[in-house]
Every structure is written in C-alpha cells, then in structure tokens.
Amino acid sequence: MTKVLIVDDEPQILRALRINLRARGYDVEVVPDGTSALKAAAAYHPDLIVLDLGLPDMDGVDVIRGVRGWTETPIIVLSGRAGSEDKVEALDAGADDYVTKPFGVDELLARMRAVTRRHSSVAEVTPIVRIGQFSVDIASHSVHGTDGSEVRLTPTEWGLLSLLVRNPGKLVSQRQLLREVWGPQYQSETNYLRQYMAQLRRKLEADPARPRQLLTEPGMGYRFLSQD
Amino acid sequence: MTKVLIVDDEPQILRALRINLRARGYDVEVVPDGTSALKAAAAYHPDLIVLDLGLPDMDGVDVIRGVRGWTETPIIVLSGRAGSEDKVEALDAGADDYVTKPFGVDELLARMRAVTRRHSSVAEVTPIVRIGQFSVDIASHSVHGTDGSEVRLTPTEWGLLSLLVRNPGKLVSQRQLLREVWGPQYQSETNYLRQYMAQLRRKLEADPARPRQLLTEPGMGYRFLSQD
DNA sequence: GCCCCTCGTCAAGATCGCGTCAAGAATGCC
DNA sequence: GGCATTCTTGACGCGATCTTGACGAGGGGC
C-alpha cells in the first residue's frame, strides 16, 4: 500500500484529501505544519509527500530542502498563488511536480501516479528508454532507430536529454536545466532551452510540432514522459 | 602478462617478491616509497598493486586514496601490525585484500590470483575482436592481419586501443581515456588523443580518413564499434 | 477585447574541436 | 656513442556546433 504524507494547514483540504485518498486505497497521514512534516517524514517514511507551500511555521521550500537532505521521496507541491516564482523555487529545491489551488482531486491523483511510477522505475537502472521510434541508451551514449539507423546528438543536446530522461515524469525547472547543462551563469538564457529542445524534438519526436514525450510546462520548465 | 607494482621499503622483502613473482610469470616493478608508488602507478599502469602500509615518506592509506582517485586497480595491503584498526582503515580507503607480515609467498600468490580474477572477470569476455581485416587479441597483446602479417602497436597505442575495445559500443570520454592511458594529470591534453587515434586508424582501419569502427564523438570522446 | 509574456522557429555569425602534418625531445637497443 | 623508435608539442584549415538576434503565434491576466 502506498503511504502518503499530506502537509497542509487548511482543515477542509486535509479532510477532502484524506477521504478521497483513503477511498483510492492510499495509506494517508496528515500533519498541519513544517516542523511536524519533517518529523513525520523521518518517522513514517512515506512513499510520497504532498506539501502545501503556505505553512504557518516555516517556508515550504525549506521543508523540501529538509526532506531532500536525506531522501529522494517524491514531493508534489500545492500552491495557492498562481505566480510562478515560488513554484520554480520549489522545483529547484527538489520538488517533483506542482499543482495550483484550487485543484481537482483527479488532477492531483494523476500527478501522484505519474510521480510514484517514476520513482519506482528509477530503482531499476533504466539504461534504455524509448522516445517515439528511437531507443536512447544512457549507458553507452547512443540513440538508435527501430530500423537500426543511428541518430547523432551533439554534446549539448545529449546533456539536456540525459538530464530529462534521468528524471522521467518529473518537471525539471528551466533554471536547473540551464545550470546543469550550461553552467550556473547561464540561468536566465531561456532561449538556449527553446533552441535545443526544438532540436531534440526534431531528431526524436514523430511530430516535432506536437511533442508527446518532450513536453513544455509553460513558465516552469520541461518534462520527459516515458511511454508505457 | 600481469603487471604487478610492489611498494615496500624493506630490501629483502622486495628481493624475495621480485624473484618469486618473476618466476611465476608476473611482470614486476618495485618502488621503495609512497611518492614513487603514485608516480609508478600512473606511469606503469599495473594490473595489481602490492602495498606495504609502513612506508618512510607517507601513510600507506593515503597512497591507497591517491591511487583510488583515478583507477580501480586492485590493491593488496601488507602490514606488520596484526591489529585490525589499520586494516579496516585500509579496506575502507579502497584496498581489496590484506596480508599480515610475516606471510608465506604462497598465501600472497593465492590472494593475488583471487583479486585479479575478481577484477578481470568483469571485462575479460572479449579476448579477440576484429577491426577491418585485422584481429586484435587483447589477452596476448598482438594484432594480426588475415594474411598472417603482424601489426606492431606501441605501448601507448595499445593502452588506448585496449581501453576502447574493452568497452565495445560504449562511448568512452576523453577524460577517461587520458586518465587511464596517460595518467590523471593529462586530463586536458586532448591533442594526445587526436594524435594516437589517428595512428591507430592508420594502422587498423581500411580507410583511415573514414573510420568505421574507431569512431569520434565530437566534443565527448571515442567509441569502438564491433563489426556485426 | 487588448496587451504582455513566453514559446517555437528561422537564420545568421562566432567559436570550438577535430584531423593532419611536422619537428624536436626522450627513450631504449645495439 | 649512435641509431631507431616512440612520445611530446605546436600550428593550421575546415566543418560542425554553439551563440545570438529577431519575428510571429498562442495563452493568460487585466
């Protein structure tokens, strides 16, 4: 049974989530603030954490950092503000995905499934992933088509693709992509991302204009969706 | 032939080991202190290191750390002290096995066989590969043409080729090639790679200007592609 | 409904990395 | 000591890659 830790200070949200998730077969634990969230994460070892950024006692981003200090447990962030600044910050701190309030329970459930699937599949090395009709072999740094043809990627293209593929299902922020592929001083050169994501889609996606696996999350970042 | 580097400051032990190991068919190099051990490890690329912990110039454990910084070459530690404290420390630093002085040569030889077997069983699956019209025998260090002619490779050429061949289909980064063939301080001398890859292609590829098996991955490294 | 921001796309120029040639320095062999 | 082999180092042209700028389309906020 999947264990979920919910961190939120609004009683009605807690109540709604607890009922809905229990009905779906989740094992649910709820806490109202950051301090008890960190404690509960350590004591309860949840498989997934749903975290509201607006907590009474501490900044939600610091809760993420505290959890990430010792575990990779997936974290889905809830945010009341539609403004993207804090959400980007949360993703950079290590959150896996985010949902803006007000949200439909179905949406949250879908993201929970996506994120837990990603986490369980990471354990099994995932040396080869499929994009469209191509297989990407992370270990040997090569991409082959089903017909045996070979796709050549430049170093930058490869850096970008491998970062996304190593985090399947996770929304990776623009900042993190730029930081890890180009370096810390390039964190605002979003045009690089547009340029190279377009190149990757041209080389890998069946219909580059309508990407199915190399997805854009407007204002946030990019996401690789594994097909299965 | 297995190359062994022996690090010890006692002349009689050095002498005994050199004679015994040479008689058993090992290629033996000896050095008397930690500084020259690190140098020799980089220059000589032994298949195995036998290291006395009591050295005149530096702590033996630091020698282990120095070697482990850039290679997985197996290390067997010799120590006069039977106490387990330094033994644990040495193993933690990356030593593979441990022999307490005084020891029988037979015991050391047994441990050497065990350790090299464990280490080589990983890669020693492809003893003979074909490049163009030549067959490369990794085990016996020789290259023959289909017509029986023999191709001579220099030590450096051989080091480069064997590293690539032991990773068939995999991209080997420039840094790794430089580190394992020339040593850790050469990691940015990419012109060496250009030089020697050209020489290998001249000697082995049918059309050196259009290599089919010794491939360049621009900006990243080189790759050996086995033919079939 | 209008405006602004972000994304996808295209097209250039600048830069980098590779292959190649060549020559001096080190090393080992006779 | 002399010779041959091997290793090191430098330079150069060319092509691929990266960088940079500009423009239209679409979506969300006001």
Side-chain angles (χ1 to χ4, degrees):
Chain A
M1 182 145 57
T2 309
K3 294 192 288 185
V4 183
L5 174 65
I6 306 202
V7 190
D8 202 319
D9 63 328
E10 297 174 49
Q12 61 269 40
I13 290 194
L14 280 185
R15 199 180 120 79
L17 285 182
R18 181 160 44 194
I19 292 170
N20 268 291
L21 296 186
R22 289 239 167 99
R24 300 299 207 288
Y26 288 96
D27 182 2
V28 182
E29 190 82 3
V30 298
V31 294
D33 55 52
T35 315
S36 37
L38 289 174
K39 258 186 241 161
Y44 182 62
H45 283 279
D47 302 301
L48 171 69
I49 299 174
V50 177
L51 171 71
D52 189 347
L53 284 185
L55 295 175
D57 61 335
M58 56 190 290
D59 189 349
V61 176
D62 288 330
V63 178
I64 298 175
R65 296 207 183 89
V67 172
R68 274 289 172 276
W70 59 277
T71 177
E72 292 295 315
T73 309
I75 299 175
I76 295 180
V77 155
L78 302 179
S79 169
R81 290 157 290 183
S84 61
E85 188 54 41
D86 55 342
K87 284 185 290 200
V88 169
E89 218 181 321
L91 291 172
D92 274 339
D96 289 73
D97 208 342
Y98 78 94
V99 177
T100 305
K101 291 194 277 190
F103 57 91
V105 173
D106 288 340
E107 182 187 354
L108 176 62
L109 283 166
R111 296 203 185 272
M112 285 173 58
R113 281 193 301 272
V115 137
T116 48
R117 186 169 47 225
R118 141 192 142 74
H119 199 254
S120 58
S121 70
V122 160
E124 38 179 289
V125 212
T126 62
I128 296 185
V129 296
R130 292 191 48 91
I131 301 182
Q133 54 181 337
F134 300 100
S135 30
V136 180
D137 187 335
I138 295 288
S140 69
H141 272 229
S142 62
V143 180
H144 287 92
T146 44
D147 53 358
S149 65
E150 189 172 345
V151 178
R152 295 187 51 79
L153 297 183
T154 73
T156 309
E157 287 166 2
W158 188 264
L160 189 56
L161 178 63
S162 90
L163 182 53
L164 287 170
V165 162
R166 274 176 296 158
N167 295 287
K170 172 167 170 166
L171 169 51
V172 186
S173 74
Q174 298 176 345
R175 284 233 296 266
Q176 184 183 350
L177 289 166
L178 287 165
R179 180 155 28 86
E180 299 206 14
V181 176
W182 279 270
Q185 66 271 38
Y186 291 82
Q187 290 188 110
S188 51
E189 304 282 344
T190 56
N191 46 334
Y192 288 11
L193 290 178
R194 300 208 297 276
Q195 174 73 352
Y196 280 91
M197 284 304 299
Q199 289 186 28
L200 283 177
R201 285 166 177 159
R202 244 196 314 276
K203 289 186 178 182
L204 299 175
E205 287 272 9
D207 182 0
R210 224 160 280 105
R212 306 182 61 88
Q213 296 185 261
L214 299 170
L215 307 179
T216 303
E217 299 283 342
M220 298 282 111
Y222 293 85
R223 183 200 307 268
F224 164 70
L225 212 60
S226 109
Q227 60 178 21
D228 47 54
Chain B
M1 183 143 60
T2 309
K3 294 191 289 183
V4 184
L5 174 66
I6 307 202
V7 191
D8 202 319
D9 63 330
E10 298 174 50
Q12 61 271 36
I13 290 196
L14 281 186
R15 199 179 123 80
L17 286 182
R18 181 161 45 191
I19 291 171
N20 270 291
L21 296 186
R22 288 240 167 101
R24 302 297 206 287
Y26 289 97
D27 183 2
V28 182
E29 190 82 3
V30 298
V31 294
D33 55 52
T35 317
S36 36
L38 290 174
K39 258 187 236 159
Y44 181 65
H45 287 281
D47 302 302
L48 171 68
I49 298 174
V50 176
L51 172 72
D52 188 347
L53 283 187
L55 294 175
D57 61 335
M58 55 192 290
D59 188 349
V61 176
D62 289 331
V63 178
I64 299 175
R65 295 209 184 89
V67 171
R68 275 290 171 277
W70 60 278
T71 177
E72 292 297 316
T73 309
I75 299 175
I76 296 181
V77 156
L78 302 179
S79 170
R81 291 157 292 184
S84 64
E85 185 61 38
D86 52 345
K87 174 175 173 175
V88 169
E89 212 184 328
L91 292 175
D92 273 344
D96 290 77
D97 207 342
Y98 192 95
V99 179
T100 306
K101 290 197 274 191
F103 58 88
V105 174
D106 287 341
E107 182 189 353
L108 178 63
L109 283 166
R111 295 199 186 271
M112 283 172 61
R113 281 193 299 272
V115 143
T116 48
R117 186 170 48 233
R118 210 178 312 142
H119 198 252
S120 61
S121 65
V122 181
E124 220 60 23
V125 218
T126 56
I128 296 185
V129 296
R130 293 189 47 89
I131 300 182
Q133 53 182 337
F134 300 99
S135 34
V136 180
D137 188 334
I138 296 291
S140 73
H141 276 224
S142 64
V143 180
H144 291 278
T146 45
D147 53 357
S149 65
E150 187 172 350
V151 178
R152 293 183 48 79
L153 297 183
T154 73
T156 308
E157 287 166 2
W158 192 264
L160 188 57
L161 179 63
S162 91
L163 182 52
L164 287 170
V165 162
R166 273 177 293 157
N167 294 286
K170 266 182 77 173
L171 168 63
V172 187
S173 74
Q174 299 176 346
R175 289 177 74 97
Q176 186 183 349
L177 288 166
L178 287 165
R179 181 159 24 89
E180 300 208 11
V181 176
W182 279 270
Q185 66 271 37
Y186 291 84
Q187 290 188 95
S188 52
E189 304 282 344
T190 57
N191 45 334
Y192 288 11
L193 290 178
R194 301 209 294 276
Q195 174 72 352
Y196 279 91
M197 284 304 299
Q199 289 186 28
L200 283 177
R201 283 166 179 160
R202 250 197 309 278
K203 289 185 178 181
L204 299 174
E205 287 272 8
D207 182 0
R210 236 172 305 286
R212 306 182 62 87
Q213 297 186 260
L214 299 171
L215 307 179
T216 303
E217 298 285 343
M220 300 189 283
Y222 293 86
R223 182 198 306 273
F224 164 71
L225 210 62
S226 109
Q227 57 179 18
D228 45 45

